[in-house]
Amino acid sequence: MWKRLISIENLTVIGIILGVLTGYYFPEIALGIKFLGEAFLNILKAVAIPLIFVSVFVSISALSSIYELKDMGIKTIVYYFSTTALAVLTGIITVNLIGFGGEIPRSGLGENVTSHEFSLRSFFESLIPENIFMSFAQGKVLQIIIFSILLAVATLYLERRKKEVLVLFMDGFNDVLIRIARWIILLTPIGVFSLVAYVIADRGLGTIFSLWHYVVVVVFGLLIHAVFNLGLIAFIFGKVNPFKYFLKVREAILVAFSTSSSSATLPVSLEVAQDKVKIKKKVAGFVLPLGATINMDGTALYESVAAMFIAHMYGIELSLGEQIIIFLTATLAAVGAAGIPSAGLVTMTLVLSAVGLPLEGVAVILAVDRFLDMLRTSINVWGDLIGAKIIDRFTK
Ligand code: ASP
C-alpha cells in the first residue's frame, strides 16, 4: 500500500504542488534552486537528442520492408494532421461560443517582441541538414529525424552481415539510452519541483489573472480537446479506456507540463510507451520522436485562440473566411513549431500575418505564455501517446 502510494508518479505530483507553493510564498528560495531544474532539463535534453536519432533508426530498420515504412508513415501522418486540425477547430469553436468577455487591458503593448517572423519557406528549408553534426549540436530535431530515416532506409539495402552489425549496435545504444532515461525519471520529483517553483516565482501567479478571459478560453479549449476529442479517439481507434491510459502514461504528461518541451520529454514518453503501455518498440521509436516535433494539438489550439484574442483586443472582427485562414495556418504553424518552450509563440507570427493582425499583439499575451505553454505541451505529448497506441494497434 505505502509502496504504491509513494510511486514516482505521485511524488512528481507532490513536486509540482510544492513547486507552486514554494514559488508563490518563498520566491527567493525558488529562484535560488533554479539550477536543480536546469540540470534536470539539461540531462533530459542530453539523452533526447541521441535517442531521437537511434530510436528512429532502430524502428525503421526493424521493419520488414519499405512498404511497411510507408504504411506506418502514412497512418502516423494522417493521425497527426487530422487531430491537429481537430484541435484548431475546437479552439475556433470555443472562441465563437464563449468569447472573451468584456474589455481587455491592452497593457504591455509596445513592449519589444523578440519573436522573428516565421514563414513556411524557411520551415521547409530548415528540414534539410547541411552538416549533420551541426544539426546535433543545435538540437535540430527534424533534421536529425530526416537523416536517421535516410540512414535506416539505406541500411535495408545493405548486405546482411553488415546490416546485422549496424542494427545490433544501434539497438544496444537505444536500450542504454532508455536505461538512462529510467534513472533520470527517478529524479523527476525534484526536477519538476524546481522548474515549477521557478516559473511561479519568476512570472508571478498574478499575471494569470490580468488576462484571465483569454486564459480561461485556452484552458477550456485544451480540456475539451484532451478529454473529449482525444479521449474518444483513444477509445474508438485505440480500444483503450482513456482515463486508465492517462494514469499509466501520466509521468510523461507531468514532465511535459513542468519542462514545457515535448523534445525534452521524449526520453520519458518513450520509456512509458514501451514499459507501461507495452507499445511495440518499432512503433514507439518512430511515432513518438516524430510526434514530439510535428504533432502539437495543444499548440495548434492555442495559436488559433491567441490569434483571435489579439484580433478581439484590437477590435478587429474576423470574417468566416479569415477564421478559415486561421484554421489552416494554425495547423501548419503548430507542425512547424519545435518541441521547445515558447516555440508556438514564434510560429504564431505566421497565423497573425496571414490574416493581417498586428504582430505586436504577441507582446500582450507574453505575460501568460509560460503558463499556457506548460498546459499546451502536456496536451501535445498526450496526443503523441494516444497516436502511438493507435498506430500500434494498426501495425502488425
Ligand atoms: N512548448 C511546446 C512543446 O514543446 C511548443 C510550443 O507550443 O511552444 O511542445
Side-chain angles (χ1 to χ4, degrees):
M1 156 90 173
W2 277 110
K3 204 160 169 233
R4 264 188 61 196
L5 271 183
I6 46 175
S7 64
I8 285 293
E9 286 92 342
N10 292 346
L11 288 177
T12 308
V13 174
I14 295 173
I16 290 179
I17 297 170
L18 287 180
V20 174
L21 295 175
T22 310
Y24 190 70
Y25 290 107
F26 309 102
E28 280 91 35
I29 297 184
L31 296 175
I33 53 164
K34 182 185 165 204
F35 68 95
L36 285 175
E38 271 180 350
F40 173 69
L41 195 56
N42 285 344
I43 190 73
L44 272 178
K45 287 197 245 169
V47 175
I49 297 293
L51 191 55
I52 287 166
F53 179 68
V54 291
S55 67
V56 171
F57 181 93
V58 169
S59 136
I60 294 178
S61 53
L63 301 175
S64 54
S65 64
I66 285 287
Y67 176 75
E68 215 187 328
L69 171 64
K70 211 172 98 193
D71 184 54
M72 188 163 78
I74 291 175
K75 282 175 188 152
T76 308
I77 298 293
V78 167
Y79 169 84
Y80 283 166
F81 268 93
S82 48
T83 48
T84 304
L86 184 63
V88 182
L89 202 63
T90 307
I92 294 178
I93 292 176
T94 310
V95 174
N96 281 300
L97 286 184
I98 59 179
F100 295 109
E103 276 298 292
I104 307 292
R106 277 166 66 165
S107 57
L109 271 184
E111 248 176 55
N112 281 335
V113 194
T114 43
S115 59
H116 30 256
E117 247 184 272
F118 170 82
S119 72
L120 276 189
R121 190 178 149 177
S122 62
F123 171 65
F124 280 115
E125 279 170 0
S126 74
L127 294 181
I128 312 299
E130 176 191 349
N131 173 338
I132 192 61
F133 294 101
M134 217 148 80
S135 312
F136 274 104
Q138 296 172 345
K140 296 264 162 68
V141 173
L142 273 177
Q143 296 185 357
I144 299 174
I145 291 180
I146 287 175
F147 190 73
S148 181
I149 292 178
L150 262 180
L151 215 63
V153 170
T155 308
L156 295 178
Y157 294 91
L158 222 54
E159 141 194 352
R160 191 157 155 220
R161 190 173 53 96
K162 291 184 182 164
K163 179 182 161 185
E164 277 170 6
V165 173
L166 201 55
V167 171
L168 201 64
F169 170 77
M170 294 288 242
D171 198 25
F173 197 10
N174 185 62
D175 289 357
V176 156
L177 289 168
I178 289 284
R179 164 85 40 184
I180 298 177
R182 235 171 258 155
W183 292 337
I184 300 173
I185 289 175
L186 298 178
L187 301 173
T188 42
I190 301 171
V192 300
F193 163 70
S194 159
L195 287 169
V196 172
Y198 172 72
V199 172
I200 302 285
D202 186 50
R203 303 292 149 102
L205 272 182
T207 49
I208 295 186
F209 299 110
S210 67
L211 286 172
W212 68 269
H213 295 96
Y214 161 63
V215 173
V216 165
V217 178
V218 176
V219 173
F220 187 71
L222 288 175
L223 272 178
I224 297 281
H225 185 67
V227 179
F228 192 71
N229 298 348
L230 289 178
L232 218 56
I233 288 174
F235 183 68
I236 296 173
F237 297 103
K239 289 267 176 289
V240 284
N241 174 334
F243 298 101
K244 285 192 184 147
Y245 189 68
F246 175 81
L247 286 179
K248 286 187 187 154
V249 300
R250 68 186 188 278
E251 188 66 16
I253 313 285
L254 295 172
V255 171
F257 176 82
S258 332
T259 58
S260 291
S261 168
S262 304
S263 298
T265 308
L266 191 67
V268 186
S269 324
L270 277 169
E271 205 273 339
V272 297
Q274 288 171 34
D275 280 13
K276 298 263 159 74
V277 287
K278 308 288 175 227
I279 291 174
K280 289 186 275 297
K281 195 169 168 181
K282 68 176 179 186
V283 174
F286 178 78
V287 176
L288 292 175
L290 204 62
T293 105
I294 68 166
N295 181 48
M296 300 199 177
D297 294 6
T299 301
L301 188 148
Y302 148 87
E303 300 211 8
S304 63
V305 176
M308 292 171 85
F309 176 73
I310 290 172
H312 176 79
M313 202 169 52
Y314 283 92
I316 301 168
E317 277 281 331
L318 292 169
S319 64
L320 183 66
E322 282 166 327
Q323 296 199 23
I324 293 176
I325 295 181
I326 291 188
F327 168 73
L328 295 173
T329 49
T331 308
L332 292 175
V335 172
I340 54 174
S342 295
L345 204 61
V346 177
T347 61
M348 203 169 67
T349 52
L350 178 79
V351 185
L352 296 179
S353 3
V355 280
L357 289 170
L359 298 187
E360 306 84 67
V362 171
V364 182
I365 55 171
L366 213 56
V368 288
D369 191 67
R370 185 60 209 242
F371 297 113
L372 295 180
D373 200 357
M374 297 164 93
L375 295 173
R376 64 183 189 249
T377 309
S378 312
I379 309 299
N380 292 346
V381 172
W382 175 228
D384 297 343
L385 284 162
I386 291 179
K389 185 73 205 170
I390 293 174
I391 310 294
D392 189 55
R393 213 192 125 222
F394 288 102
T395 307
K396 274 179 244 93

